[in-house]
Amino acid sequence: MSLNIMEYLPIIIPLVILQLILMVTALLHLIKNDRLEQNNKIVWALVIIFVNLIGPILYLIFGRKED
């Protein structure tokens, strides 16, 4: 049972790219969002960074406070 990483690259690379795009988008929106308090921004930044693929999605769905 040898693990050949090259077999999984076509799956891993798009997931990593998607993760980075979501993270950057969510962090940029978080920085520009003036409606959130500073403490909430810190918590959301930690969620976005450390909860991988789900963190940015959670912020973009629930964390944004827009009109």
Side-chain angles (χ1 to χ4, degrees):
M1 183 165 119
S2 82
L3 178 65
N4 188 356
I5 193 76
M6 298 304 270
E7 295 175 8
Y8 297 105
L9 279 181
I11 296 170
I12 294 172
I13 291 175
L15 287 175
V16 169
I17 292 170
L18 176 65
Q19 166 65 23
L20 290 174
I21 290 171
L22 282 173
M23 185 184 300
V24 169
T25 303
L27 286 173
L28 288 175
H29 187 275
L30 180 65
I31 291 168
K32 294 178 184 178
N33 191 349
D34 294 333
R35 294 179 179 220
L36 286 175
E37 298 176 12
Q38 189 64 28
N39 291 338
N40 289 343
K41 282 189 175 186
I42 293 170
V43 171
W44 275 116
L46 292 174
V47 168
I48 291 169
I49 293 170
F50 292 115
V51 185
N52 290 335
L53 194 59
I54 298 170
I57 294 171
L58 288 175
Y59 171 74
L60 292 172
I61 292 173
F62 298 112
R64 301 189 316 173
K65 290 186 178 178
E66 295 182 339
D67 295 333

